[in-house]
Amino acid sequence: MMKKLFRSKSNRVICGVCGGIGEYLNVDPTIIRLLALLLGFTGSGVLVYIVAAIIMPDEI
């Protein structure tokens, strides 16, 4: 069965992007959130998160 990348509905803080990536990679979403925070200090990190929140579909 092929895994699909979705924004998480159950593990959501802002938009569910980090929760969805964590579920997809079988990693704790807190680690993904910390990496996103580190990338957020760069100008492109915030832009990448916003684009991912727009592009990634919601979990069914």
Side-chain angles (χ1 to χ4, degrees):
M1 186 166 131
M2 187 173 178
K3 292 194 304 186
K4 293 187 178 184
L5 181 62
F6 292 106
R7 288 187 295 152
S8 177
K9 285 189 176 184
S10 61
N11 201 349
R12 178 177 287 213
V13 173
I14 297 176
C15 292
V17 173
C18 294
I21 293 172
E23 290 173 5
Y24 181 78
L25 297 175
N26 292 325
V27 177
D28 186 18
T30 305
I31 295 171
I32 304 297
R33 288 185 186 106
L34 288 173
L35 291 173
L37 180 68
L38 290 174
L39 286 175
F41 287 120
T42 67
S44 62
V46 175
L47 181 64
V48 168
Y49 187 88
I50 292 170
V51 169
I54 293 170
I55 292 176
M56 288 173 60
D58 274 333
E59 186 177 35
I60 298 172

